[in-house]
Amino acid sequence: MKQLLTQGIVLSRTNYGEADRIVTLLTPEHGKLRLMARGVRKIKSKLAGGIELFSVSDVTYIRGKGEIGTLVSTRLDKHYGTIIQDIDRVQLGYELIKQVNKATEDQPEAAYFSLLEQSFQVLDDPAIDPGLIRLWFEAQLLRLSGHAPNLHSDIAGRKLDQQATYTFDFDDVAFAINPNGTFTAGHIKALRLMFSSHEPHVIGQVHGIAAILPDIAPLVRAMLTSYIRL
């Protein structure tokens, strides 16, 4: 059978039998792969080192007749080891992996792989606040799934006013002007940064951003629940 080579990020690992494990990998070219890693739980297994969490690995595999293929070989390409030195970052990393797994079908676009790899990179940097990473990641997940909010005009099509206050309309995925609204121009500016292509280390340098994050985080999480069912 033809052997195929790709890069993969481990999304889940399930023990099977006495020594095997079924591994779900996210890849840039082939979407999600479910592969049987035979004997991987044995002490001398050559496969184990290449399917670590918080890593990117080169994997060789064979397609199966059903949903599960066979993992032939692995080689660790990048391991973000600083993450596992901080329990809060480990827990956040687990959560981000689970969210990508739940939010994607079997053939997700390559951008999901890039997002998860980029998330490992910033989680590996102790200088970047985990709260900022979480919010940025959730905003990017919404953007990739096609649920980015309208951050330029309100539900009536009018340009957002610097002086006005707003509420968020989940049906229109946009803001509605409201004298008693809790969202201001500052909040909307922060949301634009989160949904943009800027990376967390750049966003974190914006003056005053840390004070605004607690105000916009509940909105982004509510959008995840409403639109992606996470």
Side-chain angles (χ1 to χ4, degrees), residues 107-119:
Q107 296 297 324
E109 57 186 284
Y112 286 96
F113 178 91
S114 298
L115 173 60
L116 198 50
E117 182 177 13
Q118 191 176 8
S119 299

Side-chain angles (χ1 to χ4, degrees), residues 69-90:
T70 300
L71 186 61
V72 176
S73 66
T74 63
R75 184 181 68 83
L76 200 63
D77 184 25
K78 301 172 189 173
H79 178 60
Y80 298 96
T82 304
I83 296 174
I84 62 175
Q85 298 175 18
D86 185 315
I87 187 61
D88 291 332
R89 289 177 182 271
V90 169

Side-chain angles (χ1 to χ4, degrees), residues 104-129:
T104 53
E105 301 294 337
D106 285 346
Q107 296 297 324
E109 57 186 284
Y112 286 96
F113 178 91
S114 298
L115 173 60
L116 198 50
E117 182 177 13
Q118 191 176 8
S119 299
F120 291 164
Q121 291 172 358
V122 294
L123 268 176
D124 206 52
D125 186 344
I128 304 178
D129 175 51

Side-chain angles (χ1 to χ4, degrees), residues 181-194:
T182 57
F183 295 105
T184 66
H187 296 120
I188 294 170
K189 178 182 177 181
L191 285 167
R192 285 173 181 160
L193 287 170
M194 292 298 168

Side-chain angles (χ1 to χ4, degrees), residues 112 115 135-145 193-198:
Y112 286 96
L115 173 60
L135 188 54
W136 165 83
F137 174 87
E138 292 173 342
Q140 294 301 310
L141 199 56
L142 282 163
R143 181 181 64 81
L144 286 179
S145 65
L193 287 170
M194 292 298 168
F195 282 90
S196 73
S197 59
H198 293 300

Side-chain angles (χ1 to χ4, degrees), residues 28-124:
E29 307 99 342
H30 308 295
K32 287 182 183 179
L33 297 176
R34 292 172 181 83
L35 304 175
M36 180 68 72
R38 299 195 183 280
V40 72
R41 290 153 59 201
K42 294 180 179 179
I43 295 176
K44 295 183 179 181
S45 172
K46 295 180 180 180
L47 293 176
I51 50 172
E52 294 290 332
L53 292 173
F54 311 125
S55 302
V56 177
S57 298
D58 296 323
V59 299
T60 303
Y61 72 99
I62 298 171
R63 294 188 186 276
K65 293 181 179 179
E67 294 183 357
I68 300 176
T70 300
L71 186 61
V72 176
S73 66
T74 63
R75 184 181 68 83
L76 200 63
D77 184 25
K78 301 172 189 173
H79 178 60
Y80 298 96
T82 304
I83 296 174
I84 62 175
Q85 298 175 18
D86 185 315
I87 187 61
D88 291 332
R89 289 177 182 271
V90 169
Q91 290 177 341
L92 178 56
Y94 283 147
E95 187 174 339
L96 303 189
I97 290 171
K98 288 179 180 178
Q99 287 185 352
V100 167
N101 200 10
K102 289 181 179 179
T104 53
E105 301 294 337
D106 285 346
Q107 296 297 324
E109 57 186 284
Y112 286 96
F113 178 91
S114 298
L115 173 60
L116 198 50
E117 182 177 13
Q118 191 176 8
S119 299
F120 291 164
Q121 291 172 358
V122 294
L123 268 176
D124 206 52

Side-chain angles (χ1 to χ4, degrees), residues 212-226:
I212 295 178
L213 296 186
D215 294 335
I216 62 174
L219 172 60
V220 174
R221 304 232 168 86
M223 292 176 66
L224 276 176
T225 301
S226 297

